[in-house]
Structure formats: structure tokens, C-alpha cells
Amino acid sequence: MTPQRVPLLAGVVVLLAAACTTTDHDGATTAPSTAPAPSATAAATTPAATPAATSTAPIATTAAPPAAGDWRVTYGWAVPASPARVTHSVRVPVTPAPGEPLPVLVRIEVGDHPAEGFSRITFAFRGPTPSYQVGYVARVESDGSGDPVSLPGNAFLAVRFDPAQAHDSAGRSTVTAPPRTIGYPTLRGWAPAGDFEGYVSFGLGVQTSGARLPVRLSESTRPDGTHVVSVDVRRG
């Protein structure tokens, strides 16, 4: 009887292992929702039923990017009073000429996660993960000109990556992206704000009931080798 039971037990072990990791429809791999995600910051995770924490200190991440399939939090749920910054050391050019000198943004994706209480926008880069910062602003302005960027909602997040680019050597956009109007309960839309001198910038439009909503930042590496930065916004 023992030789007949061993394959059955092995199959159960494989199924349990496969259930430990899931991939969201917005392209980022996440840890199971029943376990707390690891955090590289001092900001505490804020339960939905309690007031949001406010973080004033920038953060610096110097660890290597996660391995393919991994996912880690770099800024836990909080309302940043000043831009939350995650720093990566990037040696440029990242590939010798005529290769790409900077990390290149190739894809933007969005996804709603009502059961987990947040909406997400992800930015996928070819090459190493650039440094990035996210913070609330009175309005999002275009790099260089300072012109206001039109966004839906009543609160706005400025997102910036450096060093990075979103164009090829001929100046053509390298980004595949969804429509700018998202329409989720709180994360309402996005828009580009600049691709200039090694900085790539975006604005996010957020709808709130008054108080600013907590955000969370995380990173993952996809099997195709692209490095993903996720910005999560509470659904209220």
C-alpha cells in the first residue's frame, strides 16, 4: 500500500506550493493575502479601520532587485507628508553603445483589487530598476514647462523615476499603456508629466472623501526580466 500513497502525497505537496504565489492581472506577482508582505521601510502598515499613518522621512533601498517571481514592499501603507523615495544604484550606461544608456520604461498596467482594498498601477522597466519617488502635490506639473497636467479626482500623486527614459534612440515612445482614464473608486486616472534628461514623470489622479489616502510602494521582477514598480492606492 505504501508505494501507492507516495505519488498522491507528492501531488498534494506540489499543489500547496503552487498556491503560495499568485500573479495579479496587472502583471505584478504578490504574496498571499493572508500573510503580511515584507517591508523595507519603517512605515507601519495601516489597517483600513484605523487612521492612516503619516510618514515624513524618505527611504533608501540599497538591496539587490528581487529575483524573478519575488515581490517586496519598499514603502508600507502610509500617507507621505513628503515624497517617499526609494533609491537604487544604477551605473550608466546600463549597456555599452549602441545599447540603451538608461533603464527603459516599456509597459504601464493597472488593476483593481477590491477584496484586498486597493487599486494598483505598475511601471515595468527593461534594464535595472531606477530610483523612484511618490508624493502628494497640489497639482502635477509638466517637467520643463511647468504647465499643469490634467488629471481626474481631487488629490494628486506625482511619480518620478531616475535615471530612466521612456523613448528609444529615435525619440519614439517605448511604452505600452492602458487608457489614461482608469475609473476605479479612488485611483481615477494617470498622465505622463515628462521624459526629460534622465527623468520620467507621471501624475496620478485620486478621488478622496477629504483626507489623503494611504499609498504603498513595492517591487517585483517578472520572468521576462523586466523590473516592476507598483504604486498602490487604498480604495477608501
Side-chain angles (χ1 to χ4, degrees):
M1 295 181 67
T2 301
Q4 296 176 349
R5 292 180 178 177
V6 170
L8 177 60
L9 292 175
V12 172
V13 170
V14 171
L15 289 174
L16 290 175
C20 291
T21 304
T22 58
T23 301
D24 297 330
H25 63 275
D26 48 12
T29 301
T30 64
S33 59
T34 56
S39 176
T41 77
T45 299
T46 305
T50 61
T54 298
S55 173
T56 58
I59 54 177
T61 300
T62 55
D70 288 348
W71 178 83
R72 65 186 177 95
V73 171
T74 55
Y75 180 81
W77 286 115
V79 179
S82 58
R85 181 169 175 83
V86 179
T87 302
H88 287 284
S89 178
V90 177
R91 180 179 296 178
V92 295
V94 297
T95 55
E100 295 160 338
L102 305 175
V104 178
L105 180 65
V106 294
R107 185 177 295 274
I108 299 172
E109 294 176 292
V110 297
D112 198 27
H113 301 259
E116 297 168 278
F118 68 88
S119 299
R120 169 175 291 175
I121 183 168
T122 63
F123 302 86
F125 289 86
R126 183 170 62 238
T129 306
S131 299
Y132 52 94
Q133 67 180 46
V134 178
Y136 279 101
V137 293
R139 71 174 188 175
V140 176
E141 298 179 349
S142 296
D143 292 344
S145 69
D147 293 336
V149 175
S150 179
L151 289 161
N154 58 7
F156 309 103
L157 286 165
V159 182
R160 171 173 285 187
F161 301 95
D162 67 278
Q165 65 185 63
H167 62 274
D168 61 18
S169 58
R172 297 170 299 213
S173 174
T174 55
V175 184
T176 300
R180 296 182 186 181
T181 299
I182 299 174
Y184 296 151
T186 54
L187 183 57
R188 306 308 296 271
W190 68 276
D195 179 11
F196 183 66
E197 294 186 347
Y199 291 88
V200 175
S201 304
F202 295 91
L204 305 182
V206 178
Q207 185 67 42
T208 77
S209 58
R212 289 177 170 178
L213 294 169
V215 299
R216 179 178 65 177
L217 310 179
S218 57
E219 298 177 8
S220 64
T221 301
R222 293 176 178 166
D224 65 3
T226 56
H227 298 295
V228 179
V229 175
S230 302
V231 181
D232 298 338
V233 178
R234 283 290 191 197
R235 289 177 104 248

